[in-house]
């Protein structure tokens, strides 16, 4: 028995006329009659009473009609479910992101837009370091990652969403923060203790700080380590040192610190959207397309 047999039977049962049912189904009448007869033979029961003047359901036919309708409805539901899943409208999407990503307006705006467009998709956001995001992608624990730049292994694709300035974070009463309307050069911080992420944390910002300070002629003396940017800013406010962070953290407006844009060439930080090269999840591809569009629109 095939689904088409059920559809043929339901059409005849509802029309109670083979000619009208055949027209409704877009087939000719003789094949329709043959298929109904084959269905009855398979069931070993008569579903329809036929005379030259009328077609009527038997008691078995009435019972079978209710079940046939349920089977067809469930089949249609399954088809629609599969099509929605293929379009990325339902399912699950896991996104790994570095802690500084939410402070840029593009990321939260894109996540909100995705939830509006795909309300049936279960969205799980996992905060971790950039290095751990890449590891999670490799292990297929997440489908999409939002990170700061770092070396990517083979099999990964990246898209630069945007780039923002890096800023020096100083205690408000620090001598280097006094009377400055512009920015500051990294070389001026050469003798200062730094508060920064531990090298083991796996953030792309750590490697970038080392490269920028190397170009400025010194190696930073990291006196205090912290795994969260907010903790770093708080420790700067407590007078434990200075730091360098993406400019988006200026939105936090924490009392007791100032943010001075770095004047050094290349003192900017990008945000990358990363995924596996062979990622085929419809939900992931839909999110990548939306986030990329939002980022490019903001840049344009």
């Amino acid at each position: 028995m095939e689904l088409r047999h059920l559809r043929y039977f339901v059409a005849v049962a509802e029309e109670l006329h083979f000619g009208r049912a055949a027209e409704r189904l877009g087939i000719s009448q003789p094949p329709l009659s043959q298929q109904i007869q084959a269905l009855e033979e398979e069931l070993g029961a008569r579903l329809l009473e036929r005379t030259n003047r009328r077609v009527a359901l038997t008691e078995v036919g009435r019972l079978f009609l209710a079940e046939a309708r349920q089977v067809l409805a469930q089949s249609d539901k399954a088809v629609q479910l599969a099509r929605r899943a293929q379009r990325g409208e339902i399912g699950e999407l896991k996104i790994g992101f570095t802690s500084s990503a939410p402070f840029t307006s593009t990321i939260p705006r894109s996540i909100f837009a995705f939830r509006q467009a795909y309300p049936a998709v279960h969205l799980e956001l996992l905060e971790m370091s950039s290095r751990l995001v890449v590891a999670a992608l490799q292990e297929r624990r997440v489908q999409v990652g939002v990170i700061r730049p770092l070396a990517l292994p083979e099999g990964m694709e990246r898209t630069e969403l945007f780039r923002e300035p890096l800023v020096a974070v100083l205690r408000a009463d620090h001598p280097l923060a006094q009377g400055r309307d512009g920015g500051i050069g990294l070389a001026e911080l050469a003798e200062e203790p730094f508060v920064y992420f531990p090298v083991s944390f796996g953030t792309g910002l750590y490697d970038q700080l080392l490269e920028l300070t190397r170009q400025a002629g010194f190696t930073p003396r990291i006196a205090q380590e912290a795994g969260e940017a907010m903790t770093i800013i708080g420790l700067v406010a407590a007078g434990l040192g200075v730091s360098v962070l993406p400019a988006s953290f200026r939105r936090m407006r924490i009392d007791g610190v100032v943010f001075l844009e770095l004047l050094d060439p290349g003192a900017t930080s990008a945000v990358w959207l990363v995924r596996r090269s062979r990622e085929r999840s419809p939900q992931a591809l839909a999110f990548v397309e939306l986030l990329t569009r939002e980022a490019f629109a903001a840049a344009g």
Side-chain angles (χ1 to χ4, degrees):
M1 185 186 305
E2 300 177 16
L3 286 176
R4 62 187 175 91
H5 293 128
L6 299 183
R7 291 193 177 91
Y8 291 169
F9 168 70
V10 169
V12 175
E14 291 177 348
E15 297 292 342
L16 294 177
H17 190 283
F18 276 85
R20 289 195 298 269
E23 184 178 354
R24 168 175 155 182
L25 293 166
I27 62 176
S28 60
Q29 184 173 334
L32 176 59
S33 298
Q34 293 169 7
Q35 292 297 325
I36 296 298
Q37 185 177 354
L39 176 60
E40 290 177 323
E41 290 175 357
E42 182 175 351
L43 294 173
R46 184 170 291 279
L47 302 174
L48 298 163
E49 294 290 352
R50 309 169 183 79
T51 68
N52 292 333
R53 303 181 62 180
R54 63 189 292 269
V55 175
L57 284 168
T58 65
E59 182 61 26
V60 174
R62 280 191 288 272
L63 294 173
F64 188 71
L65 176 61
E67 297 299 322
R69 282 171 170 160
Q70 288 187 29
V71 171
L72 291 175
Q74 187 61 40
S75 172
D76 290 342
K77 181 180 178 182
V79 169
Q80 293 304 317
L81 194 70
R83 287 173 177 168
R84 291 184 65 198
Q86 180 60 34
R87 293 193 297 265
E89 295 176 3
I90 58 174
E92 183 179 62
L93 177 61
K94 293 184 178 181
I95 302 172
F97 66 96
T98 186
S99 60
S100 62
F103 291 97
T104 60
S105 60
T106 300
I107 308 299
R109 187 169 61 245
S110 298
I111 291 173
F112 178 78
F114 184 85
R115 290 183 62 85
Q116 294 294 108
Y118 303 99
V121 173
H122 175 66
L123 198 60
E124 185 174 355
L125 304 174
L126 304 170
E127 182 181 350
M128 57 189 84
S129 72
S130 294
R131 189 176 299 164
L132 290 179
V133 170
V134 173
L137 282 167
Q138 289 181 296
E139 296 165 7
R140 298 184 178 276
R141 290 184 284 113
V142 299
Q143 288 94 17
V144 181
V146 180
I147 67 171
R148 296 288 174 175
L150 48 70
L152 295 178
E154 289 186 11
M156 294 286 168
E157 292 183 5
R158 68 171 178 87
T159 301
E160 184 173 305
L161 297 175
F162 54 85
R163 190 170 282 273
E164 61 177 320
L166 289 173
V167 295
V169 188
L170 288 77
R171 183 177 162 88
D173 59 3
H174 193 288
L176 291 174
Q178 305 308 306
R180 284 186 183 268
D181 295 326
I184 189 172
L186 259 178
E188 297 181 69
L189 304 177
E191 302 302 320
E192 301 292 328
F194 275 73
V195 182
Y196 221 59
F197 303 101
V199 64
S200 60
F201 190 66
T203 174
L205 292 171
Y206 186 94
D207 292 338
Q208 188 173 14
L209 175 65
L210 291 185
E211 177 59 22
L212 286 171
T213 53
R214 184 192 66 79
Q215 293 175 10
F218 72 100
T219 298
R221 177 168 59 91
I222 298 178
Q224 182 68 45
E225 295 181 336
E228 300 292 336
M230 291 306 303
T231 305
I232 290 174
I233 297 173
L235 293 175
V236 170
L240 272 70
V242 301
S243 193
V244 171
L245 291 172
S248 50
F249 280 100
R250 287 186 294 200
R251 300 181 183 187
M252 299 311 298
R253 302 184 184 279
I254 294 178
D255 291 338
V257 298
V258 293
F259 300 90
L260 300 175
E261 187 168 333
L262 291 179
L263 302 177
D264 302 69
T268 61
S269 177
V271 171
W272 288 355
L273 176 67
V274 291
R275 61 186 175 99
R276 293 182 295 273
S277 300
R278 296 185 179 181
E279 178 61 63
R280 294 296 179 265
S281 161
Q283 295 80 17
L285 297 179
F287 181 77
V288 167
E289 193 277 332
L290 189 153
L291 181 53
T292 304
R293 187 174 66 242
E294 286 279 343
F296 290 171

